[in-house]
Amino acid sequence: MGSACIKVTKYFLFLFSLLFLILGGVILGFGVWILADKSSFIFVLQSSSSVFNVGAYVFISVGAVTMFMGLLGCVGAVKEVRCLLGLYFVFLLLVLIAQVAAGVLFYFNMGKVKQEMGSIVIKLIRDYKDGEKDRLQQGWDYVQAQGKCCGWASPYNWTENAELMNRTTVTYPCSCEIKDDNNNSSHLMMSNGFCEHPSGNMTQSGNNPGDWPVYQDGCMQKVQAWLQDNLGIILGVCVGIAFIELLGMLLSICLCRHIHSEDYSKVPKY
């Protein structure tokens, strides 16, 4: 009966370790996606703030460590090597502590992250140049066009752009323009730079945002809601991983206690 329990524990631990190997690849891929994404608000953030670049590299590092940890668990379980199972337990404990610490730090710095986000966008709007092929500008154009919003708090944020406000005709950001949903896909490819109103009216009181045919909602709430939704998904995944880690630690300890003799000949040689 004892032998059967050990065998069941061993194969359950192998399955958990295999799952960690896969999850490590997913986490690593998520970090690479943050660095490689050029068409969403993630690119705006990671291009303007080192915090998000550091976060991407942390994901890549954690993913690589998790994959290595999963490999240790798989080999240790199948070959019943206590030293590998011990390393597996230690890695699981360290990753669990790091997850809890990162979650606490992020929770207490949420206000700072939101404030920094607003400063990044306001600076981007202020420095926006018409006709410039800049990926950061294109990323923000994409956010405004997809989110059907304009500016950060409102379209009046664009009044801080000197180039736009010096125009003598009614001119506005192209990506803010109210578009027909049926033709939205064809317009998105051209949603960058500044556009003149089709009427070409001269302005008597300056280029007033009240005359622009643009969305009146700012992007702040939509961007924060998007981040909140994605953070909720990430939090759910982390809680699930933490639960699996606790089970993995329990299984590795149980298996270690029932392996009485160390046999290093079982360790595969490459």
Side-chain angles (χ1 to χ4, degrees):
M1 186 67 181
S3 176
C5 286
I6 293 174
K7 189 170 290 188
V8 170
T9 302
K10 180 171 75 171
Y11 288 111
F12 262 112
L13 182 58
F14 174 80
L15 289 175
F16 275 113
S17 301
L18 187 61
L19 183 59
F20 270 114
L21 197 62
I22 296 169
L23 284 174
V26 171
I27 295 170
L28 190 147
F30 182 71
V32 172
W33 171 70
I34 292 176
L35 292 176
D37 185 19
K38 307 298 180 186
S39 60
S40 73
F41 191 68
I42 287 290
F43 178 66
V44 176
L45 293 177
Q46 64 102 355
S47 296
S48 305
S49 175
S50 60
V51 172
F52 293 93
N53 282 324
V54 171
Y57 288 116
V58 167
F59 273 115
I60 292 172
S61 302
V62 169
V65 169
T66 305
M67 290 180 71
F68 177 68
M69 182 176 64
L71 184 62
L72 283 180
C74 287
V75 176
V78 172
K79 299 296 181 178
E80 298 182 10
V81 181
R82 294 185 70 181
C83 66
L84 294 184
L85 291 172
L87 283 173
Y88 179 70
F89 175 85
V90 170
F91 272 117
L92 275 177
L93 183 60
L94 290 176
V95 169
L96 187 60
I97 292 171
Q99 282 178 342
V100 172
V104 170
L105 285 173
F106 187 80
Y107 178 79
F108 285 107
N109 284 278
M110 272 296 291
K112 184 179 178 181
V113 170
K114 290 180 179 179
Q115 184 179 1
E116 183 179 27
M117 192 188 307
S119 301
I120 290 168
V121 174
I122 295 298
K123 183 178 185 302
L124 172 61
I125 290 174
R126 187 187 303 122
D127 298 337
Y128 192 100
K129 303 292 183 184
D130 186 25
E132 188 170 301
K133 299 296 182 182
D134 180 73
R135 286 183 175 179
L136 192 57
Q137 292 186 178
Q138 291 172 353
W140 181 243
D141 285 330
Y142 178 86
V143 171
Q144 292 189 135
Q146 286 289 315
K148 296 182 179 181
C149 53
C150 191
W152 182 240
S154 74
Y156 283 86
N157 290 130
W158 281 97
T159 59
E160 296 189 32
N161 186 286
E163 180 183 351
L164 177 62
M165 299 313 294
N166 285 334
R167 300 292 180 94
T168 56
T169 57
V170 178
T171 307
Y172 52 89
C174 299
S175 56
C176 290
E177 184 180 3
I178 300 174
K179 298 181 176 69
D180 182 4
D181 289 338
N182 295 328
N183 299 321
N184 200 33
S185 58
S186 61
H187 284 296
L188 280 178
M189 295 182 65
M190 300 181 291
S191 295
N192 54 70
F194 299 144
C195 293
E196 291 188 4
H197 196 280
S199 65
N201 291 337
M202 301 290 289
T203 60
Q204 300 297 324
S205 58
N207 190 15
N208 187 355
D211 300 325
W212 298 350
V214 300
Y215 299 108
Q216 295 304 304
D217 295 330
C219 297
M220 177 174 62
Q221 291 183 344
K222 294 188 177 181
V223 167
Q224 289 181 352
W226 179 86
L227 286 174
Q228 198 70 36
D229 290 342
N230 283 272
L231 287 173
I233 294 171
I234 293 171
L235 179 62
V237 170
C238 287
V239 170
I241 291 174
F243 179 71
I244 295 171
E245 285 169 352
L246 288 172
L247 287 177
M249 290 168 66
L250 182 63
L251 289 172
S252 63
I253 285 295
C254 288
L255 191 56
C256 259
R257 288 183 61 190
H258 288 88
I259 299 174
H260 300 293
S261 59
E262 192 72 89
D263 185 2
Y264 289 100
S265 65
K266 291 182 178 180
V267 180
K269 296 178 175 59
Y270 299 98

